Amino acid sequence: MVEEGGRLIAVECDCRELRTINTKLEFARIDQEFCEATISDYRIKGYYKKESAIENAMICKKSASEYVRRFDEMKKRKKGLYFHSKRAGSGKTLLVSAIGNELIRRYKAQVRFATAGELLDAIRATYSKDSELKTHQLIEAAKKVEVLIIDDLGQQTVKADTNDHLFDIFNYRIKSDVVTIFSSNCKVENLPYDYRIKSRIQRMAVPIQAPEESVRQTLAERENEEILDSLLTG
Ligand SMILES: Nc1ncnc2c1ncn2[C@@H]1O[C@H](COP(=O)(O)OP(=O)(O)OP(=O)(O)O)[C@@H](O)[C@H]1O
Ligand SMILES: [Mg+2]
């Protein structure tokens, strides 16, 4: 209860609000593959070959670890990060998951992680009259969660409601002491959304070029060679 104009009014306490947000965004968790990942798992030597990719990976790794170290300041400045590379398998999901894990471990931050598709689909699932969760309740949680990690932004087909929901969420987050971390396969200016959304993302997050080289492919080739070798020799 707080006093306002001589009257006692009830306010939701922080921890209750935190719990409500967590429950509503229960689906939005870091993938099992990356739930233990840390920034030191983001390797460079032997994983990227092109010089430009090595340089970009070094910038990604350094900015990720400095971001975690200076999280309080970044939160006050309402700034997140936007990692982008056209190339699939270049380590974007690993990197944003590792940042999320470290923010949880070091600051007990409230972190929720979803692909843009999962988030929009979860919102659409609330349209059903059988849904326990109301659309505005889920959107409210996405607006207020301390750290929202949106993976694969811009990869989904834009539907009639996409711009409205993203605008609603980002327009709130841009003004609050919360941060949003993105990964995408395109630059902000090339996202398939309205300008008013793209300009907000530009304001909310620092764009960082991720390597244009597929570690997934390199690892697969290495593994397949090893297996073929062992099949032929062993
Ligand atoms: N720098 C790295 N160090 C160690 N492993 C890496 C690195 N980059 C990628 N990987 C591994 O390669 C695989 C693909 O990485 P990840 O899923 O993060 O790529 P992505 O850029 O998100 O790809 P996509 O665009 O397909 O979503 C994962 O198994 C990941 O662990
Ligand atoms: Mg990914």
Side-chain angles (χ1 to χ4, degrees), residues 61-204:
K61 189 166 184 168
K62 171 85 175 158
S63 46
S65 55
E66 278 302 296
Y67 185 89
V68 170
R69 192 176 72 78
R70 291 164 59 181
F71 178 57
D72 289 331
E73 176 195 343
M74 294 299 141
K75 225 174 86 170
K76 269 192 208 111
R77 298 181 75 169
K78 308 174 185 10
K79 276 289 180 198
L81 301 170
Y82 182 100
F83 295 99
H84 61 92
S85 79
K86 290 204 245 349
R87 198 63 202 253
S90 67
K92 299 180 293 292
T93 301
L94 165 63
L95 193 60
V96 295
S97 304
I99 295 174
N101 288 331
E102 297 212 3
L103 292 177
I104 295 170
R105 205 186 55 191
R106 284 176 63 168
Y107 301 94
K108 294 194 170 38
Q110 184 189 36
V111 176
R112 282 293 178 259
F113 176 107
T115 64
E118 286 166 349
L119 181 61
L120 289 162
D121 283 349
I123 295 172
R124 287 177 190 128
T126 63
Y127 296 170
S128 152
K129 64 173 180 358
D130 300 329
S131 168
E132 267 179 40
L133 199 59
K134 301 274 169 281
T135 307
H136 76 89
Q137 291 177 316
L138 180 50
I139 289 181
E140 192 77 358
K143 284 176 176 175
K144 292 186 173 172
V145 62
E146 185 182 12
V147 180
L148 180 61
I149 303 181
I150 302 187
D151 198 22
D152 285 337
L153 186 72
Q155 222 127 311
Q156 309 69 32
T157 322
V158 178
K159 298 191 184 157
D161 54 358
T162 304
N163 279 301
D164 287 346
H165 290 323
L166 292 182
F167 179 82
D168 200 9
I169 294 166
F170 296 160
N171 194 41
Y172 185 94
R173 295 186 68 79
I174 202 171
K175 295 179 231 165
S176 318
D177 285 355
V178 295
V179 296
T180 317
I181 294 168
F182 300 91
S183 96
S184 176
N185 68 343
C186 65
K187 293 184 175 167
V188 179
E189 56 267 35
N190 298 331
L191 284 168
Y193 307 131
D194 284 357
Y195 174 72
R196 58 196 189 129
I197 293 175
K198 295 194 268 188
S199 62
R200 278 170 178 76
I201 296 173
Q202 246 143 8
R203 191 74 203 276
M204 286 161 78

Side-chain angles (χ1 to χ4, degrees), residues 31 33-34 37 39-45 47-48 57 61 85-97 151-152 155 183-185 210-211 213-220:
D31 258 26
E33 183 187 356
F34 299 119
I39 295 169
S40 59
D41 293 324
Y42 184 84
R43 313 287 292 275
I44 299 176
K45 207 165 162 242
Y47 285 72
Y48 300 101
K61 189 166 184 168
S85 79
K86 290 204 245 349
R87 198 63 202 253
S90 67
K92 299 180 293 292
T93 301
L94 165 63
L95 193 60
V96 295
S97 304
D151 198 22
D152 285 337
Q155 222 127 311
S183 96
S184 176
N185 68 343
E213 196 175 308
S214 175
V215 174
R216 189 183 287 128
Q217 191 180 329
T218 306
L219 294 178

